[in-house]
Amino acid sequence: MPKPRVIYWFRTDLRLHDSPALKTALDLKPECLYPIWTWDPHYVYHARVGPNRWQFLLDCQNDLSESITKLNPQSKLFLIREAPQTLFPKLFKEWKITHLVFEKDTDAYGRDRDDKVKELAKEAGVEVITRPGRTLYDSDELVKANNNRPTMSISQVQHAGAKIGDIARPIPAPKSLPSPGTPTLSFNQQKPASNPDINAIQRDAEEKSYDALAGPNNDFAVPTMEELGLKPATTPHRGGETIGLKMLDEIIANEDYTATFEKPKTAPTAFEPQATTLLSPHMHFGSVSCREFYWRVQDVVSKYKGKASQPPTSLTGQLLFRDMYFGAQAALGYAFGQSYNNPQCRFIPWHLPSEIDTKSGLITGKYLVDDAKAEVFFKRWKEGRTGFPWIDALMRQLKHEGWIHHLGRHAVACFLTRGGCYVDWERGAEVFEEWLIDHEAACNIGNWQWLSCTAFFAQFYRCYSPIAFPQKWDKDGNFVRKYVPELEHFDKKYIYEPWKAPILDQKKWGCLIKGDGTDTDTDTEDGTLRTYPKPMLDFPKQRDICIQGMKNAYHVGLYGKNPKVLDGTWRKLFEDNAEGPTEGTEGPPGAMVEHEADNADADGAEDGEHAAPPSPKVEKKTPKKTTEKGKGAHKRKASQSTLDGMVTRKKKKD
DNA sequence: CAAGCGGTTGTACGC
DNA sequence: AGCGTACAACCGCTT
């Protein structure tokens, strides 16, 4: 019997240690092993990926390739620039492949892609072997053990996990690797369609991803940022298994830190060094295995003399949350990433809702500007010029470094959605997708739903203040001074609310609080004064409006799969005089989808049924008035006032 | 099965 | 200064 000729297809498992799939490939005792990466146009053109995450990916690929070569000088990571869906049939033939092995992916797109590849392999007579390895538990098994329901709480994960059994111990990295065969490519490249190219904004030069199958030097090398036409990365955080494992070693070496870590007690204002591990991008790209992380921590905890922290706040608890979000995504598929058609996601008529393709029931990537003011809020939030230094510092750190502390993510997410701007969480998730180096679709989506109180979490009256919250962590405002240098000389008394500083002091401290942040640089007579914008909204007022809106939406009680949400008749349930920016039957805001009478197919035939939403409340009772002393009587009026100047848009866009 | 409790990460205020 | 409590009120989970 001829010996196997194997392709090992690397994806988000860019490592050699603890790779169940790689071990499986090696256990085949192959005659030759081709470690490859296929250049997926989904990543190049369709997912939102900023330069910092690109850089991290290239780092991981370079490091992995070098590690492979150390084990076998004839081998490396072979990058082939074509979509896997068109490339594989040609590779199977050219290299006389018998087996294709890769790590299982439960992302919505990942499943579609892999199903297609499996089909092609079957046609070619190639055996496909996949192994779970991206999470502590196989996400599909976790869902099964959770009565076939998406995992929506940590206790569900813990119970379901206990049924499955122990989390697997990590597998050591291989000591040797078989050689690849001769990696010839005597076939034509099929260039993928680049339209639409939503990553065009990430580039400042021509994009040459697909100029040649094996790259410009015909050597299968990892591309450079320049080759991809990308703007330079600005992040100090770098990728690769070597760096990732070193970081893990350093964490584990500090036994007190490892064993007593409590996430809610780590400071979101800490920098140099940050308060958390920075391992999240390594979790995403697979440059550090989550099970390696889990067991290294667990082994320290087991022999720790003092009082160790427990899930969910402990380090291992963080990994359980990750598995929870993966489980939710595995069960819900594409619907997990949107409100529309999502049985687990509360329907809130946010501003700037996603446009829906009623044929597929999926969001299109565009959104509707139902409210001019909300659009301005969103832009200023994204660009870090809200006029709230805490929010702006975080957003600038996010854009520049690709990472912010988890609690910082809470602060900006709450501010954009239920605790300030009342903008759709999907808008915020898209910005995070673009800028985070650790962007993990499942975790990002899940956390945005959590923070916006549309799923996982419901205490919408707990609202982060952009002033009081950072005060708790950083009284002197050093974090703000670093990322909002305009304010570096401000007294700590005003660092989180600089608009309250007397004009004379503003001048003394070298920065005037004025404008909306678009008149960037210096200003005024002598040109020595910088400017920083005035706050774009009255936070206490806006918070009350948002809470009223949330309360109202909760009383209506719709979820994303409710027929009234699917067909647009949800409007009838939101009275015109409802408190908060919820809008009613007459107003255009909050439009998500046209009332096409015949869009019943949007309901889709897919799963979903095993995850019935809680039945909507039909409660009649009107929200009680806030009894907050002194304030709180302005709700109705204030709510209306925020809608002044609203742009009325009527029908669906062109 | 109704009620009560707790929920990784709120705020403002009083002692 | 640091802790406890009210605020207004959500959910899931346990008993």
Side-chain angles (χ1 to χ4, degrees), chain A residues 12 14 42-43 46-61 199 202 225 230-235 237 239 281 284-285 398-403 429-441 444:
Chain A
T12 48
L14 291 164
H42 179 76
Y43 207 73
H46 306 147
R48 294 173 177 80
V49 190
N52 287 331
R53 191 153 85 257
W54 276 109
Q55 180 68 65
F56 205 97
L57 168 63
L58 302 184
D59 286 349
C60 288
Q61 293 173 332
N199 279 325
Q202 312 299 347
M225 294 289 281
L230 292 162
K231 295 173 183 171
T234 52
T235 180
H237 310 300
H284 169 67
F285 285 108
L398 169 60
K399 184 176 186 183
H400 193 256
E401 301 184 7
W403 181 92
E430 285 164 0
V431 172
F432 275 29
E433 180 191 353
E434 180 182 349
W435 284 348
L436 281 174
I437 53 172
D438 61 17
H439 172 256
E440 185 69 76
N444 188 45

Side-chain angles (χ1 to χ4, degrees), chain A residues 315-585:
Chain A
L315 275 179
T316 54
Q318 308 312 302
L319 293 168
L320 292 177
F321 275 108
R322 183 171 177 270
D323 264 49
M324 175 181 82
Y325 292 133
F326 269 91
Q329 178 178 248
L332 296 167
Y334 285 105
F336 181 57
Q338 53 187 53
S339 301
Y340 188 85
N341 203 30
N342 181 342
Q344 296 291 333
C345 183
R346 268 184 191 281
F347 175 75
I348 315 278
W350 307 107
H351 291 305
L352 313 186
S354 292
E355 180 189 83
I356 308 295
D357 172 4
T358 49
K359 285 256 169 17
S360 64
L362 301 179
I363 53 176
T364 65
K366 297 185 195 154
Y367 64 91
L368 307 176
V369 180
D370 62 298
D371 180 327
K373 205 165 190 171
E375 173 72 352
V376 170
F377 286 168
F378 176 48
K379 285 225 166 80
R380 292 185 63 170
W381 175 84
K382 180 173 181 181
E383 293 163 10
R385 49 181 184 91
T386 65
F388 294 92
W390 166 236
I391 301 296
D392 293 343
L394 286 163
M395 292 306 291
R396 294 178 193 189
Q397 183 190 23
L398 169 60
K399 184 176 186 183
H400 193 256
E401 301 184 7
W403 181 92
I404 54 178
H405 185 279
H406 189 64
L407 288 178
R409 301 180 196 199
H410 279 212
V412 298
C414 180
F415 185 84
L416 181 69
T417 59
R418 67 181 168 84
C421 306
Y422 219 71
V423 164
D424 199 316
W425 63 267
E426 293 168 45
R427 301 290 75 68
E430 285 164 0
V431 172
F432 275 29
E433 180 191 353
E434 180 182 349
W435 284 348
L436 281 174
I437 53 172
D438 61 17
H439 172 256
E440 185 69 76
C443 301
N444 188 45
I445 291 161
N447 277 318
W448 274 94
Q449 292 178 1
W450 183 299
L451 261 298
S452 62
C453 290
T454 51
F456 299 103
F457 185 72
Q459 289 164 273
F460 55 76
Y461 45 87
R462 286 195 180 176
C463 188
Y464 290 89
S465 158
I467 292 124
F469 184 70
Q471 280 283 356
K472 189 166 78 187
W473 297 100
D474 183 8
K475 291 230 186 318
D476 295 334
N478 290 327
F479 178 82
V480 162
R481 289 174 214 282
K482 177 173 169 72
Y483 292 100
V484 186
E486 301 97 293
L487 300 175
E488 65 183 327
H489 300 305
F490 269 56
D491 190 276
K492 63 183 177 188
K493 185 177 172 193
Y494 299 108
I495 195 71
Y496 295 114
E497 34 191 354
W499 61 90
K500 289 189 176 169
I503 297 288
L504 276 178
D505 284 335
Q506 294 181 18
K507 285 188 174 162
K508 192 169 79 194
W509 297 329
C511 180
L512 288 181
I513 308 305
K514 57 178 268 194
D516 64 359
T518 48
D519 49 339
T520 47
D521 40 31
T522 58
D523 164 24
T524 65
E525 318 80 51
D526 57 0
T528 57
L529 283 179
R530 290 184 280 191
T531 67
Y532 177 79
K534 286 203 265 203
M536 69 181 188
L537 49 82
D538 177 340
F539 178 75
K541 201 161 119 185
Q542 198 66 21
R543 177 193 51 209
D544 288 352
I545 291 166
C546 287
I547 289 176
Q548 288 304 319
M550 293 299 291
K551 206 195 293 191
N552 192 27
Y554 265 67
H555 280 126
V556 172
L558 295 177
Y559 283 75
K561 209 178 168 65
N562 186 294
K564 291 186 168 67
V565 171
L566 297 178
D567 68 13
T569 54
W570 58 267
R571 292 156 174 285
K572 299 195 175 111
L573 302 178
F574 289 83
E575 293 173 18
D576 280 332
N577 65 356
E579 291 178 290
T582 52
E583 304 328 309
T585 55

